[in-house]
Amino acid sequence: MSINPKTTAAVGDHPLHPMIIPFPVAFLVGGPIADLAFIGTGDGFWARAAIWLIGAGIVMALVAAVAGFTDFFSDARIRSLNDAWYHMIGNLVAVVLALINFYLRYAQGAEAAIKPWGVALSLIVVGILLFTGWKGWELVYRHHVAVLDAPGQTSSEPVSPRHGGESRRRAA
C-alpha cells in the first residue's frame, strides 16, 4: 500500500483533478472581472462575456468534480481528512451559487442581472474558490494526497524496501 493517499483519476501517475481545475477557476474568476468591466464601461459585450464565462466555469467545474469525486470516494484516507471535506463542500457551494448566477442572468438578461446580484454572486464565488483552493493546497502539500512516496519514484506502486527494510521516504 502506498504511504501517501493515492489518486485514482489519473493518466499514468499524473492526477487529473489538478490538471482540470485551472479551467473552471479561470472562467469563474473572469466572470466578476467582466462584470466590473461592464459596470465601468456600460458596454454590453462585457455582460455577455460574463454569462459565457460563468457558463463555461460551471461546465468545467463539473468535469473537475468527476475527477475529484473519483479520488475522494476511492480512498478512505482522503475521506478522513477535514480539508478534503471543506474542499469538496466549498466547491459544491460555489458551483450552486454560479448556477443561480447563470440562471438569473439567463432569465433577466445578461445586462440587467449584473447589478447588484450578479456581481455580488460572482465575487462570493471567487471568495469561496480562494478558500477551497487553499484547502486543495493543504491536501497536496500537508497531507500529500497524490504525491509519490519517495524522491525519484516513477509510479504509484509502493516503494521497494532497501537496506534492512527501510523505505526511501523522506522525512516531512
Side-chain angles (χ1 to χ4, degrees), residues 30-31 33-35 37-39 41-53 105 110-111 114:
I33 293 170
D35 286 344
F38 170 73
I39 291 170
T41 66
D43 186 347
F45 165 80
W46 293 111
R48 291 186 303 279
I51 194 171
W52 279 96
L53 286 164
R105 291 163 190 260
E111 294 179 21
I114 288 179

Side-chain angles (χ1 to χ4, degrees), residues 109-127:
E111 294 179 21
I114 288 179
K115 293 183 199 173
W117 294 111
V119 72
L121 286 170
S122 292
L123 291 170
I124 291 167
V125 167
V126 169

Side-chain angles (χ1 to χ4, degrees), residues 37-99:
F38 170 73
I39 291 170
T41 66
D43 186 347
F45 165 80
W46 293 111
R48 291 186 303 279
I51 194 171
W52 279 96
L53 286 164
I54 293 165
I58 292 165
V59 170
M60 290 307 296
L62 296 175
V63 173
V66 170
F69 285 142
T70 301
D71 291 343
F72 183 83
F73 290 112
S74 65
D75 191 331
R77 294 177 294 172
I78 296 172
R79 287 191 307 278
S80 71
L81 300 170
N82 284 337
D83 288 332
W85 285 94
Y86 292 137
H87 181 72
M88 179 187 66
I89 291 169
N91 283 323
L92 289 172
V93 169
V95 171
V96 167
L97 290 175
L99 278 166

Side-chain angles (χ1 to χ4, degrees), residues 3 8 11 22-23 35 42 44 47 50 84 88 96 102 130 140 146 160 165 170:
I3 296 168
T8 304
V11 173
F23 294 99
D35 286 344
M88 179 187 66
V96 167
F102 184 85
L130 287 169
V140 174
S160 58
R170 59 192 155 105

Side-chain angles (χ1 to χ4, degrees), residues 116-167:
W117 294 111
V119 72
L121 286 170
S122 292
L123 291 170
I124 291 167
V125 167
V126 169
I128 293 170
L129 292 177
L130 287 169
F131 173 77
T132 60
W134 169 45
K135 290 302 173 183
W137 182 93
E138 294 278 321
L139 291 172
V140 174
Y141 291 98
R142 178 179 290 199
H143 304 293
H144 303 150
V145 172
V147 174
L148 297 177
D149 295 328
Q153 183 180 1
T154 58
S155 75
S156 58
E157 295 301 315
V159 178
S160 58
R162 67 174 187 152
H163 301 47
E166 296 174 17
S167 75

